Amino acid sequence: MRKTATTDPSASADLQLARLAGAIAEPARARMLGFLMDGHARTATELAAAAEVAASTASAHLARLRDERLVELWVQGRHRYFRLAGEQVAAALESLMVLAGAPHAGPSAAPSAGFAPSTPSRLRAARTCYDHMAGTAGVALHDRLHAQGWLSGLASGVYELTAEGAVAFESLGLDVDAVRRSRRRFACACLDWSERRPHLGGALGAAWLQLSLRRGWVRQALDGRALTLTPKAQREMPELFG
């Protein structure tokens, strides 16, 4: 007897999840996605070098990642660039990095066992998570924004600016209304894969990083995700960067 196609929506969701997992699971493709986590666009040649594969192999991998809507192509004149297909992809990858680095301990493991991150110290100190600040500095910033009373919603992980916070951000040169008009979540917790604690994500997190770069509080490495906090940040904003 001929089998009829299933109409169960959960079966379709399971299949799509399996396809996405398969696309990420290949080591070369995983390296490409990790290389794009700094928010920059890259050429196929650059991604091939990062993944340590031939150009033809890289093209096949990128086609698969595009098919699964994990990366998108950006054409500018004769040049073709690839970048992550949005904040949701970056957040999913960051969460997977947390799982990938988690200690393989069973349910009987002692809860007091310390967490020892394997992240290189330069990246652990401060880095980009797609388009917002992560690492020790990003987690500290998240905590201090709440301690200053600028953000509310700590328990839920979906944040809103307090009246005091909105005034403070505006006084620093951040256009809060423009951030609100962004077609993405305003502010939220993003689990940090090296610290295992949240940093600030969403449109507000991205706007804060751009403000920090403009004000000279942070410098970004040209060749990767690393960020450096400057002495100017500690002088001008000790309550957040001290």
Side-chain angles (χ1 to χ4, degrees):
M1 181 181 293
R2 184 178 178 182
K3 294 182 178 179
T4 57
T6 179
T7 57
D8 183 358
S10 65
S12 176
D14 291 344
L15 178 60
Q16 181 61 17
L17 176 60
R19 287 176 58 90
L20 285 172
I24 297 170
E26 207 287 327
R29 291 196 289 268
R31 284 194 290 269
M32 289 179 174
L33 292 170
F35 196 52
L36 293 172
M37 279 290 288
D38 63 356
H40 292 133
R42 299 291 200 285
T43 65
T45 300
E46 291 169 332
L47 291 169
E52 300 179 351
V53 296
S56 58
T57 304
S59 295
H61 285 320
L62 289 167
R64 174 70 185 278
L65 294 174
R66 284 187 68 197
D67 287 345
E68 301 302 335
R69 291 180 290 184
L70 292 169
V71 302
E72 59 187 14
L73 178 64
W74 182 14
V75 179
Q76 185 168 310
R78 294 182 299 171
H79 302 288
R80 293 160 60 88
Y81 300 94
F82 294 88
R83 58 186 177 187
L84 291 184
E87 180 193 17
Q88 287 184 320
V89 175
L93 292 172
E94 186 83 0
S95 296
L96 287 172
M97 289 174 181
V98 172
L99 290 176
H104 299 286
S108 61
S112 60
F115 163 60
S118 58
T119 313
S121 58
R122 184 169 178 237
L123 287 179
R124 186 184 176 194
R127 64 179 184 276
T128 55
C129 173
Y130 187 52
D131 61 359
H132 51 270
M133 190 182 301
T136 303
V139 170
L141 172 68
H142 167 276
D143 293 347
R144 287 167 179 161
L145 287 171
H146 283 282
Q148 289 291 118
W150 292 9
L151 287 177
S152 63
L154 180 60
S156 69
V158 178
Y159 303 146
E160 184 52 72
L161 279 177
T162 63
E164 180 183 357
V167 171
F169 273 97
E170 291 279 2
S171 70
L172 293 172
L174 193 148
D175 188 339
V176 174
D177 288 338
V179 177
R180 291 190 187 282
R181 291 194 296 270
S182 174
R183 298 175 61 183
R184 61 191 286 190
R185 182 177 293 187
F186 176 66
C188 59
C190 182
L191 185 60
D192 195 280
W193 65 267
S194 63
E195 300 303 302
R196 310 297 169 86
R197 297 181 55 228
H199 56 246
L200 177 63
L204 185 62
W208 176 262
L209 175 58
Q210 291 305 310
L211 175 66
S212 298
L213 291 168
R214 289 198 306 271
R215 296 290 295 267
W217 297 332
V218 170
R219 290 193 300 268
Q220 184 170 6
L222 297 177
D223 57 350
R225 301 175 63 185
L227 296 171
T228 302
L229 268 62
T230 67
K232 184 179 181 182
Q234 296 173 347
R235 288 197 310 270
E236 295 186 0
M237 293 295 293
E239 66 272 31
L240 297 181
F241 292 113

